[in-house]
Amino acid sequence: MKLFFESLGFTLPYLIFFVLVTSLLHLNAAVPTIKLPNNETVPAVLVFGDSIVDTGNNNKIISSAKCNFPPYGRDFIGGKPTGRFSNGRVPSDFIAEAFGVKKFLPAYLDPNLKLEDLLTGVCFASGGGGYDPITSNIPPAFSLSDQLQQFKQYINKIKSGVGEERSATIVSKSIYVICTGSNDILNTYYSTPFRQSHYTIDSYADFLVGIASSFIQELHGLGARRFGVLSMPPLGCVPSQRTTRGGIQRKCADYANKAATLFNSKLISAMNSLNSTLSDSILLYLDVYNPLLSLIQNPAKYGFEVATKGCCGTGKLEVTYLCNSFDDPLTCKNDTKYVFWDSYHPTEKAYDVLITIVFNSTVQKLLR
């Protein structure tokens, strides 16, 4: 089998990652544990990015990008708001479970973390962050630079706990997930004049991709070898953009979708280049744009009924502090019918479906 895949041009890192992802072909609500060749396991999942994957780091800072209050987390264990920007679990959790690591990926800044939690992975993501350093000043949030420093602290902590040899193995064998960029387009470029005065949207996309490439290379320099980088979603179709930029009919805002696809095309090229440069690593571009657009355009196909507004409040503008317990009279009773939880973030069910589609399409990419 190994020789067969190598004859198709797959190196060992690709083969291992292929087995990892193929195991997800039959993903459902009960995600199976993945079996790797020679009983190898993924020791940890480590996530960097913004509110899509933040599992509670923003609880520790004063920021407008917070959600550690009801109705957020109403479908989490005990109905507890954890700082996840959804009604329940988020992609960080689903990805960690998919790789057989754990069902809930804790925030790195969770004060209750123990050594065993660190050894199996944490989330460094911060709601409101982005690739652009300026973006993180707006909410505020932890920038990618901040998250990188926290990762260095993480390495030192596990090194102190289990020794240099085992910590090096954990770092090299773990899965690294990067998910950010949406706030750069919506909140920094199109909502503030500073970047528009210095960049066209094309050159700004180049700027963001350059930062993404540098971040990956910095992680690689610290020992990371297995990367999955999520694309930008169809930004113009989130409920808040429909409301503010979609006209009376609340259509998808084309300008935002075009910016997202422009960035995504440049990200693909950059990752192809890095795959050649970092020959000892595997970098996978994980397409979120098309799967989420499919959920939005064909909700019934995936078991949803509402895709143009969120569950919380009126569903048209409420997000973070605007989505709160006082909205309960308006908030939907059955969020499994909704693609979006608030006006920006999907529901737990939508994330579950989305991660399934993303990994299945990744298998198809590897088979080409």
Side-chain angles (χ1 to χ4, degrees):
M1 180 66 76
K2 177 175 178 286
L3 291 174
F4 170 73
F5 276 95
E6 288 183 339
S7 72
L8 295 178
F10 291 107
T11 60
L12 183 58
Y14 270 102
L15 176 58
I16 293 173
F17 216 83
F18 172 81
V19 176
L20 289 174
V21 178
T22 303
S23 301
L24 303 179
L25 275 170
H26 302 292
L27 259 175
N28 50 44
V31 182
T33 300
I34 296 167
K35 303 292 184 182
L36 299 184
N38 302 318
N39 294 318
E40 183 183 357
T41 60
V42 172
V45 170
L46 299 156
V47 177
F48 304 82
D50 57 27
S51 61
I52 298 297
V53 287
D54 186 355
T55 57
N57 286 306
N58 276 22
N59 295 350
K60 298 303 171 184
I61 57 176
I62 298 173
S63 173
S64 60
K66 294 184 80 161
C67 59
N68 56 340
F69 47 80
Y72 287 96
R74 76 179 193 185
D75 297 312
F76 205 79
I77 296 176
K80 180 183 178 182
T82 61
R84 288 168 170 81
F85 292 75
S86 188
N87 58 300
R89 293 199 292 162
V90 295
S92 301
D93 302 306
F94 286 112
I95 293 171
E97 184 182 22
F99 283 113
V101 177
K102 50 191 173 186
K103 191 170 183 178
F104 306 101
L105 193 71
Y108 175 66
L109 297 180
D110 184 339
N112 299 314
L113 282 186
K114 299 177 181 178
L115 177 61
E116 53 264 37
D117 298 314
L118 294 173
L119 297 179
T120 52
V122 291
C123 175
F124 300 94
S126 177
Y131 288 114
D132 188 339
I134 289 180
T135 300
S136 301
N137 295 332
I138 298 173
F142 293 109
S143 66
L144 281 186
S145 178
D146 294 330
Q147 294 176 39
L148 187 68
Q149 292 305 311
Q150 291 170 354
F151 176 58
K152 292 177 181 178
Q153 296 170 6
Y154 165 87
I155 293 175
N156 288 332
K157 287 180 180 179
I158 63 171
K159 189 181 296 184
S160 297
V162 298
E164 189 163 346
E165 183 176 350
R166 185 180 171 193
S167 64
T169 299
I170 291 172
V171 170
S172 66
K173 299 291 185 181
S174 293
I175 302 296
Y176 293 79
V177 178
I178 302 168
C179 174
T180 193
S182 300
N183 295 314
D184 297 318
I185 299 298
L186 296 181
N187 298 336
T188 301
Y189 187 79
Y190 282 115
S191 297
T192 60
F194 181 75
R195 285 306 190 200
Q196 288 190 57
S197 66
H198 291 78
Y199 297 92
T200 64
I201 187 59
D202 186 80
S203 62
Y204 187 62
D206 285 330
F207 170 67
L208 297 180
V209 169
I211 294 174
S213 297
S214 295
F215 185 68
I216 291 170
Q217 291 177 77
E218 287 181 292
L219 288 175
H220 179 271
L222 294 170
R225 293 296 182 268
R226 297 171 174 175
F227 302 91
V229 184
L230 277 70
S231 73
M232 280 194 199
L235 299 174
C237 294
V238 302
S240 64
Q241 292 303 299
R242 287 177 180 271
T243 300
T244 59
R245 304 290 183 93
I248 297 175
Q249 296 181 324
R250 298 184 67 248
K251 294 182 178 181
C252 292
D254 287 342
Y255 81 97
N257 283 351
K258 289 178 180 178
T261 55
L262 177 65
F263 170 85
N264 291 341
S265 65
K266 293 176 182 291
L267 180 62
I268 291 172
S269 297
M271 291 186 66
N272 286 338
S273 177
L274 285 172
N275 261 319
S276 298
T277 304
L278 308 177
S279 57
D280 60 346
S281 302
I282 173 66
L283 291 90
L284 289 179
Y285 170 83
L286 303 176
D287 177 26
V288 173
Y289 186 99
N290 290 297
L292 182 54
L293 187 61
S294 182
L295 261 70
I296 293 169
Q297 294 176 337
N298 310 288
K301 177 181 176 181
Y302 303 95
F304 299 100
E305 296 179 9
V306 184
T308 62
K309 62 181 183 178
C311 168
C312 188
T314 66
K316 296 180 179 180
L317 272 176
E318 296 88 349
V319 66
T320 63
Y321 282 117
L322 294 178
C323 173
N324 56 62
S325 57
F326 294 105
D327 291 321
D328 276 351
L330 295 174
T331 298
C332 73
K333 303 305 177 186
N334 185 359
D335 49 54
T336 63
K337 296 180 180 180
Y338 284 68
V339 172
F340 290 95
W341 163 248
D342 58 23
S343 66
Y344 191 88
H345 306 95
T347 58
E348 178 183 64
K349 179 184 175 182
Y351 279 138
D352 193 357
V353 173
L354 187 61
I355 294 301
T356 302
I357 298 171
V358 169
F359 276 98
N360 285 350
S361 65
T362 301
V363 170
Q364 297 306 314
K365 283 193 292 184
L366 290 175
L367 287 174
R368 286 174 186 165

